[in-house]
Amino acid sequence: MDKTVLIKKAIKDSIETKSKLLEDNVVLDNIEKIANEIVSAFKQDKKVLLCGNGGSAADAQHITAELVGRFLKERQALNVICLSANVATLTALGNDYGYDAVFARQVEAYGRPGGVLIGLSTSGNSRNVINAFQTAREGGMKTIAFTGQGGLLHNHSDIVVAAPSTHTPAIQQLHLCLYHYFCQTIEDHFCKK
């Protein structure tokens, strides 16, 4: 098959998923709710924690970098920790408690009532993310899930952003647009006047 045809198909799949989202007012409203929850946590000096596996771990690191550093404007550093980023902690917890506990144990350590846990799972079935959400909710934290369609994570989330797709690349590409939007919205609350 012609490579150009494959490239065009990949782009069309991404556009189609984003177009479906434009018709989903629940998800669009949830993006605003997410920004408000995160701003509220920061104003109370609470942490925002992020976690995910594989590409979702990379996305969690990306969001963390945008909020601890800066996205588009100069402003104070924000209190964000990526639970997927510390290899020594992940491997120690995986070895001592099992991989299903690597995020929950960190939520127990860093999470506080009024804080926020953002979990990224394209399938919505990542057991370690689900366990982290259970620990977060027990500890009085808000839980925000970025997923595709379906999955058990929906049942453990206060706010869900479900991409209208089951195709991992399309889900991740859509999520990226949304991460950037909420980073910008959050940043607007904290930038220097």
Side-chain angles (χ1 to χ4, degrees):
M1 183 180 272
D2 181 10
K3 295 291 184 190
T4 305
V5 171
L6 293 175
I7 292 168
K8 287 181 179 180
K9 182 183 178 332
I11 293 169
K12 285 179 183 176
D13 288 346
S14 182
I15 291 168
E16 182 179 307
T17 301
K18 291 176 179 117
S19 294
K20 287 179 187 174
L21 181 76
L22 291 173
E23 298 169 11
D24 189 339
N25 288 328
V26 172
V27 172
L28 295 174
D29 289 344
N30 281 350
I31 295 299
E32 290 302 322
K33 288 178 186 174
I34 290 168
N36 291 335
E37 286 292 342
I38 294 171
V39 166
S40 176
F42 288 145
K43 286 184 175 179
Q44 297 174 55
D45 199 29
K46 303 295 182 180
K47 286 181 179 65
V48 172
L49 309 177
L50 291 104
C51 63
N53 299 291
S56 295
D59 285 348
Q61 286 182 291
H62 178 166
I63 296 165
T64 301
E66 301 290 19
L67 294 174
V68 172
R70 73 167 168 254
F71 182 59
L72 297 172
K73 300 174 184 175
E74 194 58 45
R75 46 122 177 108
Q76 71 192 60
L78 299 172
N79 196 354
V80 184
I81 298 174
C82 178
L83 305 180
S84 310
N86 187 325
V87 175
T89 298
L90 284 175
T91 56
L93 294 175
N95 186 63
D96 295 347
Y97 298 96
Y99 194 67
D100 288 352
V102 295
F103 300 138
R105 187 76 176 175
Q106 290 181 80
V107 169
E108 183 182 337
Y110 305 126
R112 297 294 177 267
V116 175
L117 173 62
I118 300 173
L120 316 174
S121 173
T122 57
S123 70
N125 289 316
S126 299
R127 178 48 52 193
N128 55 3
V129 177
I130 293 168
N131 291 345
F133 271 43
Q134 290 171 331
T135 300
R137 290 180 107 185
E138 289 166 6
M141 297 180 73
K142 291 288 185 180
T143 54
I144 298 169
F146 280 84
T147 71
Q149 294 177 329
L152 299 173
L153 190 57
H154 291 231
N155 301 328
H156 302 279
S157 305
D158 294 308
I159 304 172
V160 177
V161 175
S165 179
T166 56
H167 186 59
T168 298
I171 294 167
Q172 291 174 332
Q173 291 161 14
L174 172 66
H175 285 173
L176 181 61
C177 291
L178 301 178
Y179 304 151
H180 283 163
Y181 174 78
F182 82 71
C183 285
Q184 181 177 351
T185 301
I186 292 162
E187 187 166 74
D188 287 344
H189 284 273
F190 295 99
C191 69
K192 294 178 181 178
K193 303 293 180 198

